[in-house]
Amino acid sequence: MDRDTIIEDLNEYYTKKTLILLLTYMGVKFSEGLSKNEIIELVVDSFKSELNINILLRSISLEAKKVVEYLTWEGISTLPVIDSIYHTKISLDDYYYNTKDEFIKNFKNYNSREIAFSNGLRTLFKKYINRPIISLNQLDGDILLADTFLYQNLDGVLNYIKHENLKERGLKKKVLLKSITKFKKYFPISGDLVDLRITYILKFFINTSFKESSLKTLQGFISRYKMGSLFNENIDFYHFYPHIKGINSNININIFLKRGRTSFLNRVGSLAENSWIDINYIIRELSLGEDTQIFDTSYFGPLLSVKVEPQPYNNYSRTLNLKYKSDNEKYLITPMFKGIVLLLFTIGVADIVFKDSEPTHFRMTEFGKRVFGLPSRFKERVLNNYSYKFSSSRLFITTSGRDSGKELFFNRIGELLGKGVYKVSYSSFIKECKTQRDIDTNMKTLLSLLPEDVPTVWSDFISKCTDRIYPVYNEQELIVVNFPKENSDFIFEITEDPKLRDLFLMVEGFKGAFSRKNYAEFKRVLKERGYFL
C-alpha cells in the first residue's frame, strides 16, 4: 500500500465528515475532536485490514458497491454507465445523496461526463476486489485462439527470412504478397488471420539475431522487444503509425516507443488470469496511473501530425496536429497497444477477440504465461526424431520426422520427389540464388550437414559446383570498336599495314578488339597516317 498516495487522495477528495463516516462503517473507534489529518492517518491504518475493507463494502449500498468494484478495475467511466448500474438518471449536482453512498460521492470528478476512483485507492482496493470476469456471451466479436506455430517452427521461419534476404525497406505490398504466398508453401500455418500473422512474422523478425528455436528464445524476444534492443526502432514505428507525419526530425519517438511497450507489456505480464482483458481498460488504467508521460503530446513538441481519413460527416482527408491527450490516445497509444496484442497473438501468447479488423480483448494462453515467466500448465513439445541421410551413390537426400529448418534448406537446394526424398542437381542447388553470397551460404550449410566421411558423389558435386560459378567473365582490359565498312580505304590500310594489323584482334562484323595499351598505340599510328580518333 502506497501510504503517501492514499493520504494525499483522502485529503484531496474526502471531507472530514465523510472520513468519519468511513471509520463508522468499519466499526473503528476514535476520539472526538481529532483533526482531519489525524482522522486520515486513522483511516489509512484501518485500510491495512482486509476485514475492515470487507466491512466497509458491506456497509454501503449494493449499487454503490458495484460502482466501487467497477471503477476499481476500470478506473474511469462515463456517467451513463454508472447510471445503468444504479438504474436511474442522476446528475453530478445531486450525485448520490444517499448517506451510505458518501464514499462514492467523493470520487474524483474529471468533467461533467466522467467519474473516476482516485488512483491510490484503486491500487489498494484491487487487493481485496476480484476483477470482474468477462464471460464469453459478453464479448462482441470473433474469438480467435492462438496456436504455437511460431514456437514449433521458429528455426525454419528465421532461416526462411535469412535466406530470402528480406529487408524491411523491401517489404512493399507486391513483394510482401509474394513472400506470404511462398511462406505458406514452406510452412504448415493454419488457423485465423494467416496472412496478417505472416506479415507480422516477416516484419518483426527481420534482422533479429536468434540462433535457436526454444522457449527461452521467445522469452528473450519479449524482453528485448520491450526494451527496444530487438531491432531498429523505425521498423516498429512505421509498422504501427504509417499515418503519422513529422517523425523524422523527432528524436523523442524512440523514448516514447520504449515507454509505451514497457508499460503495456508490464501490465500484460501482471494480468495472467484466464479471463478476458479489454485493451481499452489497460489504456484507461495507464492514463490514470503514474506513467502518464506516454499520453502527453507536449512530450514530442509541435512536430507530429496525423492524416485523418474521411468521416461520415465530411468527405475529405485532413491533417490534424497532435495537441491533446485524447488525440495521442487515439492515434498513437491505441494503435501501438492493439498492434502489440496482434504480435502476442502471432507468437501464440494471447487469444484475442477480433472485431472490425482489430483486436478488442485478449486473454493470456498457457504458453503465454510460460513465455512471461508465470506459473503455467503449458507442456514442452516433444520433438519428433528427425533424421536425414545423404545417398552414397546418387545426389539424393532422404529424411524422416519433421524439422522445418532443415526441410526448408533441402527444399531450397533440391527437388522434392516424394515424401522425405530430395534430388539435388547443379540447377536446383542455385535455383533460388541471386548472388555469390547466396551460393556460398548454400555451400556452407550443405558442408555442415554432410557426414565427416563425405561420399565421393557429394565431394565431386561440391568441386564441380565451384567450377560452375562464373565460368565466363568480362574482360575489363579490352576495348571493342566498329570499323566503318563503307570506308574501303581505311579498311584496306589497317588490314594490310603490319604495324597496325598486329595491334588488334579482328572479330566478326567489322569489329576490332584492343587491349588498352595497344589501343593507345593504334591511335598514335593512325594519327601519323592522317586519321584522328
Side-chain angles (χ1 to χ4, degrees), residues 139-143 276 351-355 358-362:
L139 297 173
D140 185 13
D142 297 323
I143 297 176
W276 291 94
D351 301 326
I352 62 173
V353 174
F354 204 67
K355 180 183 179 183
E358 62 182 23
T360 60
H361 297 72
F362 69 93

Side-chain angles (χ1 to χ4, degrees), residues 15-29:
T15 64
K16 182 179 178 180
K17 176 183 176 182
T18 302
L19 292 169
I20 291 175
L21 193 61
L22 293 180
L23 292 175
T24 304
Y25 286 162
M26 292 184 286
V28 178
K29 296 181 180 181

Side-chain angles (χ1 to χ4, degrees), residues 46-83:
S46 301
F47 279 164
K48 293 178 181 179
S49 168
E50 182 176 358
L51 177 61
N52 287 340
I53 297 292
N54 288 332
I55 292 174
L56 172 63
L57 293 176
R58 287 198 299 268
S59 299
I60 60 180
S61 69
L62 179 60
E63 291 82 3
K65 181 181 178 182
K66 290 180 180 179
V67 175
V68 171
E69 292 174 345
Y70 183 85
L71 292 182
T72 292
W73 287 97
E74 292 297 318
I76 190 170
S77 180
T78 59
L79 290 185
V81 172
I82 300 298
D83 289 337

